[in-house]
Each structure stands twice: as structure tokens, then as C-alpha cells.
């Protein structure tokens, strides 16, 4: 009902899929206007070699979730929304959140232990440049909106790296305003033809 098609790895436990399906339907209708994305493929598979529990491929319009760890689903779903609605993270309207996120991230980075700082300042995939990509900020701020502002509890959302979700009243205020407008105004109108 919500995607072009859904693929399951042959090792996926179908009972787990049904649980996730029910949870997604509740979240989709409560927060995403019940909106389908018929250009997007959803794949449930083991993602061990990617060292990630979820991935979104914009060029393939494919959202992948490791069924063993579905907590990345909403993060990847926000990547999908960003892509499907026209690279929202690159719009001027997202500039303030991007600037505040980076500022707070750097400020709070000073309090992290040296091992984490070295990783962030290093050359690994998960260095500071990764966290500062606008698409990544968009997805993480979507998670902040759900968990910190709306207080949503779900197995489909569980931020795992605390330092990647900087806390600031000003940032939270901007996130609340932006994502409220996105989910209550822009998303419901996605896919509708404007009257001529």
C-alpha cells in the first residue's frame, strides 16, 4: 500500500515483518499523512557488510532496513522524504537548522572522550564530514523531532549515537517549526497536481 514493492530476504522472520508493518502503519497515519511513495522500493535484508542497520539509495529510490535492527527505519524514511520531495535538505529553508546543528555539534564535541573525537576528526566513513552532510542532518533532525519533541516511542526509531543529536533549545525550536510544517503542510500536498 505504501511502496512500489517490498522485498524480504529469505532469512527474514515473517512474524517480525508483520510487527514492523503494523508499527509503520500506525506511525504513517499518525505523522506522515498515510502518504504512499509508489516510486520507492522497501527491502528487508541483513546489512552486515555495510556496517549499518539501514540505508537509503536515492539513485535507486530504495530504502533498506536490517530486520534484526529496525530502529533505523524512521531515519532512512526521512532520507527518503528528503529525496522524494526534491532534496529538501538543500533548500534555503533548511539553512538555519543546518547552521544550528553544526554549531551545537561542535560545541558539544568538546565534551566527548578522545576516542570519539579522534574518530570524528579522522578519515573513517563516520567522521565529522559525514555527520555534517545536509541529508544526514535532515534525517537526524527528523529523529530529534520524533523522539525529543513529539516523544514518539517505537521500535522503528532509536537514535544510537547521542553526540549526533546535539541538544539545544534554539535547535529544538527550529526543528519543531520546520518538521511541523513539513509533515502537516508539505507532505500532505506531495503528489497532488496544482490547480491551473
Amino acid at each position: 500500500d505504501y511502496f512500489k514493492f517490498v522485498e524480504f530476504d529469505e532469512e527474514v522472520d515473517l512474524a517480525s515483518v508483520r510487527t514492523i508493518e503494523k508499527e509503520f502503519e500506525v506511525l504513517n497515519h499518525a505523522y506522515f499523512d498515510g502518504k504512499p511513495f509508489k516510486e520507492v522500493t522497501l527491502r528487508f535484508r541483513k546489512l552486515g557488510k555495510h556496517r549499518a542497520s539501514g540505508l537509503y539509495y536515492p539513485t535507486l529510490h530504495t530504502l533498506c532496513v536490517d530486520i534484526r535492527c529496525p530502529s533505523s527505519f524512521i531515519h532512512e524514511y526521512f532520507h527518503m522524504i528528503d529525496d522524494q520531495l526534491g532534496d529538501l535538505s538543500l533548500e534555503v529553508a533548511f539553512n538555519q537548522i543546518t547552521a544550528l546543528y553544526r554549531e551545537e555539534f561542535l560545541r558539544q564535541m568538546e565534551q566527548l572522550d578522545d576516542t570519539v573525537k579522534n574518530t570524528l576528526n579522522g578519515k573513517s566513513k563516520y567522521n565529522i564530514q559525514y555527520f555534517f552532510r545536509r541529508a544526514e542532518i535532515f534525517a537526524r533532525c527528523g529523529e530529534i523531532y520524533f523522539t525529543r519533541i513529539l516523544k514518539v516511542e517505537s521500535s522503528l526509531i532509536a537514535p544510537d549515537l547521542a553526540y549526533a543529536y546535539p541538544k539545544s533549545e534554539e535547535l529544538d525550536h527550529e526543528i519543531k517549526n520546520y518538521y511541523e510544517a513539513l509533515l502537516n503542510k508539505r507532505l500532505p500536498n506531495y503528489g497532488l497536481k496544482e490547480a491551473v
Side-chain angles (χ1 to χ4, degrees):
D1 294 336
Y2 303 101
F3 298 95
K4 183 176 183 178
F5 70 88
V6 180
E7 176 190 275
F8 305 102
D9 184 293
E10 66 271 0
E11 296 178 32
V12 165
D13 172 31
L14 291 179
S16 298
V17 172
R18 285 187 190 92
T19 302
I20 288 171
E21 179 183 13
K22 287 179 182 142
E23 239 181 304
F24 171 73
E25 282 186 319
V26 168
L27 289 176
N28 188 293
H29 286 280
Y31 303 105
F32 299 109
D33 195 49
K35 190 64 69 183
F37 285 90
K38 294 297 190 169
E39 300 299 314
V40 177
T41 300
L42 173 61
R43 300 178 192 273
F44 290 101
R45 52 179 50 179
K46 292 181 179 176
L47 298 172
K49 73 175 185 171
H50 294 283
R51 292 180 37 201
S53 58
L55 299 164
Y56 179 72
Y57 296 99
T59 54
L60 302 173
H61 305 296
T62 300
L63 193 157
C64 298
V65 176
D66 193 322
I67 197 75
R68 299 167 301 178
C69 185
S71 60
S72 67
F73 193 106
I74 295 299
H75 177 90
E76 302 307 330
Y77 200 76
F78 272 109
H79 278 310
M80 181 204 69
I81 288 172
D82 180 18
D83 171 57
Q84 291 293 301
L85 272 68
D87 292 324
L88 299 177
S89 61
L90 300 177
E91 292 180 350
V92 171
F94 198 67
N95 285 353
Q96 180 67 9
I97 290 175
T98 300
L100 285 170
Y101 178 92
R102 288 175 177 167
E103 181 183 310
E104 288 303 323
F105 190 107
L106 289 171
R107 191 178 61 74
Q108 293 175 27
M109 188 174 148
E110 295 304 315
Q111 301 161 13
L112 299 174
D113 70 46
D114 288 340
T115 307
V116 176
K117 282 186 199 174
N118 289 340
T119 301
L120 289 170
N121 289 320
K123 296 190 183 297
S124 75
K125 175 186 174 184
Y126 297 105
N127 64 19
I128 200 161
Q129 296 309 313
Y130 167 80
F131 290 105
F132 281 8
R133 288 175 44 229
R134 289 177 71 110
E136 200 55 38
I137 293 170
F138 185 91
R140 290 192 190 280
C141 288
E143 289 180 274
I144 289 171
Y145 180 66
F146 266 50
T147 58
R148 211 155 63 208
I149 296 167
L150 296 179
K151 310 276 190 238
V152 172
E153 292 183 17
S154 169
S155 69
L156 303 183
I157 183 169
D160 59 351
L161 300 171
Y163 62 82
Y165 304 89
K167 293 183 179 177
S168 145
E169 283 184 28
E170 187 180 3
L171 177 60
D172 284 0
H173 175 75
E174 291 296 326
I175 288 171
K176 180 180 185 297
N177 290 341
Y178 180 86
Y179 286 88
E180 232 169 50
L182 170 63
L183 298 181
N184 296 326
K185 294 179 184 149
R186 283 189 82 170
L187 187 61
N189 292 319
Y190 167 73
L192 298 177
K193 301 253 189 239
E194 293 192 8
V196 181

